[in-house]
Amino acid sequence: MGRSRVDSDAHQPPPQLLLGLLHTDQRIVRKKYPAYVQRVRNSFRGWAMLGGKRVFGPCRQLAADAHADAMRMRTTKEGPVFGGTFGVRADEWLASIAGSVTPDTIEFYRSHLNSVQRTIPSTVLVGKLTAPLLREFIREAQLRGLAARSIQHARRVLHTFCGWCVRRGYLLANPVPAVEWPRVVEMPPDVLTAEELENILARVQIPWARSLMLFMAYTGLRRAEMARLRVCDIDLRQGSLWVAGKARAQSHPIPADAIPALDLLLAGAEPQDYVIPGSTERARRNRIAETFRFWQRKLGEPRLHPHTLRHSVATILLRQGVGAATVQRFLRHSSFAMTQRYVHLVESDLRAATASLSLIGRDRAAADSARAQPAAQPAPGVPRSSSRPASPRDPDDGPDTVHG
């Protein structure tokens, strides 16, 4: 027994050789997937040489699927055909983010995707979303009269959507950065002075419409925020209301002068009712918009818009000396850069007011008139003082001495 154990040990390879074989086996196992397949983290993608370039297919969970993509590209001599059409993937993207963004954002995304699909049909494969196709959308959008800002909104939506498609493996690369999009020329917001706003509201003859405009002007509420406002969100004793804003809900003060207008809006409403009548938020927002459009046409005031009131109250507060940080909190801006637009308007008023200042010219004229007057002569018996002032002397220095 002992002899056989010694003989068996003598025939075993040394530990160094076993370790080398183990490493070799691991290396072979690690590369054991089909040809023309590249591993990318926890997924695989096939590749083929097309036109002298290595073209990769979409990321797959299985190496066999990536190999099938590679063989299809090598057989057809065409680029990868990614799964799904533009319309199907767009709906899938909107459904995936529905729980993390507001319904208004989903509606915003969908409206601009519909605008893009007027040029790029929803039946187009996602893999065919290329830079030339996006340039064609820009050209047709400009022919339709779309403003540069609307085209930029579409660019933002497409950039987010294409980035999602790349991460899912539906698209090889995001084509949006490769396109030159129209630049937006920033224009100062339309604002009304306190006098103009008072004159316009005085001409609104229907009390409910005048109260709506007056309340939105005093509070600076957005149209969507006004449409979401319930009666139970208002605390008249504290003089505040709860605003469901873009990102979060916040408390907002109600100026005392806005209370009479609010009382008229709340007449006959129950605590769970909305301040603006309507069965859905879209209906309430449309009612606000239609009210402003009606009085725009009737009064001939194209600047009368819900957001114009918001711009105006911000500018009026700044002109009355309210700090920019306080105005930012009042308007519930997420960044100071948004409030800075109104600060620039007030700075333009300051530049216009200081254009007539001539402090340097007045000082120069006063100096010239002083030089033109004769110098006063000293009285008889009074010695003329030297123009050079006497230098002070330290008493510890002792008497002046002259060294010859």
Side-chain angles (χ1 to χ4, degrees), residues 198-211:
E198 183 180 0
N199 293 334
I200 291 175
L201 294 179
R203 295 161 57 193
V204 178
Q205 301 169 356
I206 299 178
W208 187 88
R210 183 171 59 251
S211 299

Side-chain angles (χ1 to χ4, degrees), residues 129-201:
L129 289 178
T130 58
L133 203 57
L134 296 184
R135 295 190 187 98
E136 182 65 18
F137 158 70
I138 295 174
R139 188 185 68 83
E140 292 196 7
Q142 291 174 334
L143 292 177
R144 296 202 312 261
L146 250 65
R149 187 176 297 278
S150 299
I151 299 176
Q152 280 289 339
H153 287 326
R155 179 197 66 81
R156 290 169 47 199
V157 176
L158 281 173
H159 183 73
T160 308
F161 166 69
C162 291
W164 177 84
C165 288
V166 171
R167 292 190 298 272
R168 290 295 184 94
Y170 301 146
L171 192 60
L172 184 63
N174 192 338
V176 175
V179 179
E180 184 176 355
W181 297 82
R183 295 183 178 273
V184 177
V185 179
E186 293 292 341
M187 301 295 293
D190 289 332
V191 296
L192 300 169
T193 63
E195 294 76 12
E196 291 174 335
L197 188 57
E198 183 180 0
N199 293 334
I200 291 175
L201 294 179

